[in-house]
Amino acid sequence: MSLNNIEEIATFIVADGKGILAADESNPTCGKRFDSIGVDSTEENRRDYREMLFRSKGMKGNIGGVILFDETIRQSAADGTSLRDVILGQSSLPGIKVDKGLQPVEGCPGETVTVGLDGLDGRLKEYASMGAKFTKWRAVINIGEGIPSDKCIDENMQALAEYAKCAQDNGMVPVVEPEVLMDGNHSIDECYEATDRSLKSLFVHLEKNGVNIKGTILKPNMVTSGKDCSEQAGVDEVAKRTLDCLMRNIPAELPGITFLSGGQPDVRATAHLDAMNKIGGFPWKLSFSYGRALQAPALRAWEGKPENISTAQDELSHRAEMNKLASLGEWEEKFEVR
Ligand code: 13P
């Protein structure tokens, strides 16, 4: 792999239907996932789990990049190989989450802004020296009574743009993630509106901050009904509304859009992506950067037991292959039957 600049890195990650494995859960979030299978969230268990994922056969050819948490990029596999090298050995690129989480927005109850710009340049320099090729920053937008506010959107998108510029100045691709949460009983129309406002603001700020769009990857939510909405939009509607929102806001020069799964059931997340790629007619690669929707079946199969590793790896490989097909618009529901 000889990748000479951020544009080549971004293009590589989403080439040939490949997507991103998001494995950057913070230790508390990893703890929640492990609680669901009765496994203690120790440093060693987290390492074993991630090593298992990264050594799965289905990584190769399907996963162009893996987003890591700070602890993981410093860890080595049981045989002493760094996890970074395990990922590179699968022809995939190591990436790193660089934001520092959420804080309340002053004067805006129920809303948060993502922090982490303090000391960011120094952290990025260290990650670049450790071999990270791309980075991620997640902004969170809530839908509710009178929110999202313009102030919350503006502060989050400005921070995303400053982060993106800093990542590019350090030779790494920024994955910019403005996540409109699925939590709540809002309609798909309300999700469309919040997503539209967020994306519009994001690209204004990226432009103002001199971010090179050709060396950027966008990681948005899909436009869906809220989790608790009584009328759930179907696959075709989600695909059409999401594409419509993206077409209105995303410049053609962006190399790739990789969706988060946001708590969608794993096969549903695949079906949505496939439906959009079957419609087609857009200028960017449309792919995935799933966390839960790639990992959930593997986590359940693993149960923290060494004897389950191979079955769990088959689960991750299967989801990676299914999502690759969806990124090419070639997935069919019958492929899920094994
Ligand atoms: P999910 O696909 O589980 O939403 O995770 C993606 C991610 O990286 C959230 O920041």
Side-chain angles (χ1 to χ4, degrees), residues 34-320:
F34 280 14
D35 281 349
S36 73
I37 54 162
V39 170
D40 287 340
S41 181
T42 61
E43 187 172 341
E44 194 179 351
N45 285 343
R46 291 192 292 271
R47 192 278 308 270
D48 288 348
Y49 174 64
R50 266 99 179 216
E51 177 179 356
M52 172 196 80
L53 297 178
F54 305 160
R55 287 197 191 278
S56 301
K57 276 202 199 74
M59 289 277 300
K60 213 169 206 156
N62 301 320
I63 303 294
V66 181
I67 315 174
L68 302 170
F69 187 61
D70 179 78
E71 175 185 272
T72 320
I73 199 169
R74 300 172 193 280
Q75 281 176 322
S76 293
D79 69 0
T81 315
S82 71
L83 291 182
R84 180 204 61 190
D85 286 347
V86 172
I87 292 166
L88 287 169
Q90 299 277 29
S91 306
S92 185
L93 299 178
I96 181 81
K97 168 199 168 77
V98 300
D99 68 68
K100 293 276 192 187
L102 312 177
Q103 268 183 12
V105 184
E106 219 181 306
C108 300
E111 300 196 289
T112 58
V113 64
T114 303
V115 293
L117 292 172
D118 281 353
L120 178 64
D121 187 59
R123 297 206 304 286
L124 290 173
K125 286 190 164 44
E126 187 191 9
Y127 290 136
S129 77
M130 294 166 85
K133 297 293 176 208
F134 71 106
T135 60
K136 181 192 103 170
W137 178 290
R138 172 176 177 254
V140 173
I141 305 296
N142 269 296
I143 299 178
E145 203 53 49
I147 61 172
S149 64
D150 288 341
K151 178 174 175 191
C152 168
I153 290 179
D154 190 63
E155 283 188 18
N156 272 298
M157 302 310 142
Q158 169 61 23
L160 264 172
E162 283 180 45
Y163 137 74
K165 178 75 175 95
C166 198
Q168 292 188 336
D169 288 346
N170 282 289
M172 293 178 288
V173 167
V175 173
V176 291
E177 179 179 10
E179 175 173 7
V180 176
L181 291 183
M182 285 176 75
D183 298 348
N185 60 3
H186 53 268
S187 65
I188 190 168
D189 290 338
E190 287 169 284
C191 179
Y192 184 101
E193 204 229 334
T195 307
D196 183 59
R197 284 167 61 202
S198 301
L199 293 176
K200 210 167 251 88
S201 168
L202 174 62
F203 280 88
V204 168
H205 283 293
L206 291 177
E207 174 97 355
K208 249 197 320 214
N209 283 267
V211 174
N212 174 2
I213 299 298
K214 290 184 184 163
T216 302
I217 291 177
L218 174 69
K219 174 167 176 165
N221 54 285
M222 296 181 194
V223 175
T224 65
S225 315
K227 266 183 206 147
D228 302 324
C229 178
S230 51
E231 264 182 55
Q232 288 291 317
V235 171
D236 290 345
E237 189 178 4
V238 168
K240 283 196 194 112
R241 300 300 297 276
T242 304
L243 275 185
D244 182 59
C245 195
L246 295 174
M247 290 295 268
R248 284 166 60 115
N249 290 297
I250 315 302
E253 59 185 353
L254 185 89
I257 298 175
T258 59
F259 291 104
L260 59 95
S261 59
Q264 296 177 35
D266 42 86
V267 176
R268 181 54 84 98
T270 305
H272 284 152
L273 178 61
D274 180 67
M276 286 183 239
N277 278 300
K278 281 195 165 79
I279 295 170
F282 39 80
W284 347 269
K285 292 285 171 70
L286 212 55
S287 185
F288 56 92
S289 175
Y290 295 159
R292 284 161 286 181
L294 276 169
Q295 295 182 43
L299 180 73
R300 280 193 300 270
W302 177 55
E303 292 180 320
K305 298 182 183 142
E307 63 269 29
N308 292 340
I309 285 178
S310 154
T311 317
Q313 287 179 324
D314 288 348
E315 294 293 338
L316 180 82
S317 296
H318 178 66
R319 289 260 55 80

Side-chain angles (χ1 to χ4, degrees), residues 267 318 322 325 330-338:
V267 176
H318 178 66
M322 292 297 104
L325 289 173
E330 292 172 3
W331 174 82
E332 290 180 39
E333 195 159 2
K334 66 177 187 215
F335 299 156
E336 295 291 346
V337 182
R338 287 181 295 152

